[in-house]
Amino acid sequence: MDELEDGKQKFLEIVKSLDASVEVVIPTTPSRSLLLISLTKGPNRKFITVHEDDMLDLPQEPSVQAKTTALLQETLKTL
């Protein structure tokens, strides 16, 4: 698995730990170094952008994990 795939896997783990009923769609490649990620719960959908560097650093950087978890918590509250 390459670094981006490792980051995507960690992102999915964080989402599932916060709310297992949320469906996540992560694009296969970034656009302008950003990933536009879709989060869906029931009829509600939200999009968030995550920088490619953050996704690459997610598996091994606690600060990036904390920032991403906080972003997801805020976003999931609105779903």
Side-chain angles (χ1 to χ4, degrees):
M1 222 178 349
D2 68 7
E3 289 181 54
L4 189 57
E5 288 303 315
D6 290 342
K8 289 177 181 180
Q9 190 61 42
K10 183 64 178 177
F11 186 90
L12 290 171
E13 288 172 17
I14 293 170
V15 171
K16 294 303 176 195
S17 72
L18 296 172
D19 189 338
S21 66
V22 174
E23 293 181 36
V24 181
V25 177
I26 303 174
T28 54
T29 57
S31 173
R32 295 188 179 117
S33 297
L34 295 172
L35 295 159
L36 182 63
I37 299 171
S38 167
L39 303 169
T40 306
K41 184 175 180 181
N44 303 314
R45 178 176 294 157
K46 291 281 183 182
F47 291 94
I48 60 171
T49 55
V50 175
H51 198 277
E52 178 183 17
D53 290 341
D54 285 347
M55 192 63 80
L56 292 171
D57 293 339
L58 192 58
Q60 63 272 12
E61 290 292 328
S63 62
V64 175
Q65 290 175 14
K67 180 175 81 170
T68 303
T69 300
L71 171 66
L72 284 168
Q73 287 172 330
E74 280 299 310
T75 305
L76 295 178
K77 276 190 223 175
T78 64
L79 274 181

